[in-house]
Amino acid sequence: MAGAKTAVDWLASVAQDPEACRWEWERNPLGVALLPAGKAWDVLILPGELGHPTLDVLTRILDRPGPVLLDFADHRMGFFVPPGTAARWIGTGIRTAGADTWIVVPYPGRSTGTVRWLIPPDGSGTLTDPSLLELAMHEAAAGPTPPETP
């Protein structure tokens, strides 16, 4: 992955000790690190049955959404959004990770046993706009649009 170093730097920058974070990623057999949310990003965690169609909608309207995590059982998807979003989120059925919470983050470009990147970070700081994410969730929840009849 060409941007892996930059993505690693961006992710590790939120750790209390970024070098220790990198060291942990290199030596942890699971290839994950525990990172604080609420500094460079928050995470909105959707159930998989809503997350997958939401991501489909987002990728139709955006060139590239922000990073998205998926647990290996496809039960939950985590969309990286701007810091502060979790504190303001009102929607039901959506878990949030913001200030004073931690998330398990896999090393970009490496497979792990617990979570994986559906859309890995590119290191640029791109995050998903929460308003667009909410609209995409509404469209996804409404289901497919029936074909028009002539």
Side-chain angles (χ1 to χ4, degrees):
M1 168 182 275
K5 175 83 167 116
T6 305
V8 168
D9 291 341
W10 180 71
L11 288 167
S13 72
V14 301
Q16 186 173 2
D17 182 346
E19 286 305 316
C21 177
R22 286 185 195 89
W23 188 91
E24 177 72 15
W25 262 327
E26 291 298 322
R27 285 152 186 84
N28 182 327
L30 297 177
V32 298
L34 195 58
L35 293 177
K39 291 185 177 189
W41 61 81
D42 283 357
V43 183
L44 296 181
I45 304 162
L46 282 61
E49 58 273 2
L50 175 60
H52 286 286
T54 297
L55 183 58
D56 289 343
V57 172
L58 276 176
T59 55
R60 285 195 315 258
I61 60 175
L62 295 173
D63 287 336
R64 187 181 198 290
V68 179
L69 285 174
L70 175 70
D71 72 359
F72 269 106
D74 280 358
H75 294 300
R76 290 178 295 281
M77 293 176 68
F79 291 80
F80 280 50
V81 294
T85 302
R88 295 184 308 273
W89 193 260
I90 300 174
T92 58
I94 307 302
R95 295 172 50 194
T96 63
D100 300 321
T101 61
W102 298 78
I103 60 169
V104 173
V105 179
Y107 187 92
R110 190 179 299 157
S111 199
T112 71
T114 54
V115 295
R116 64 185 170 99
W117 291 106
L118 276 180
I119 299 179
D122 61 6
S124 71
T126 299
L127 299 169
T128 298
D129 179 299
S131 298
L132 287 177
L133 180 59
E134 184 177 13
L135 291 172
M137 287 189 308
H138 286 290
E139 185 174 328
T145 305
E148 290 184 26
T149 55

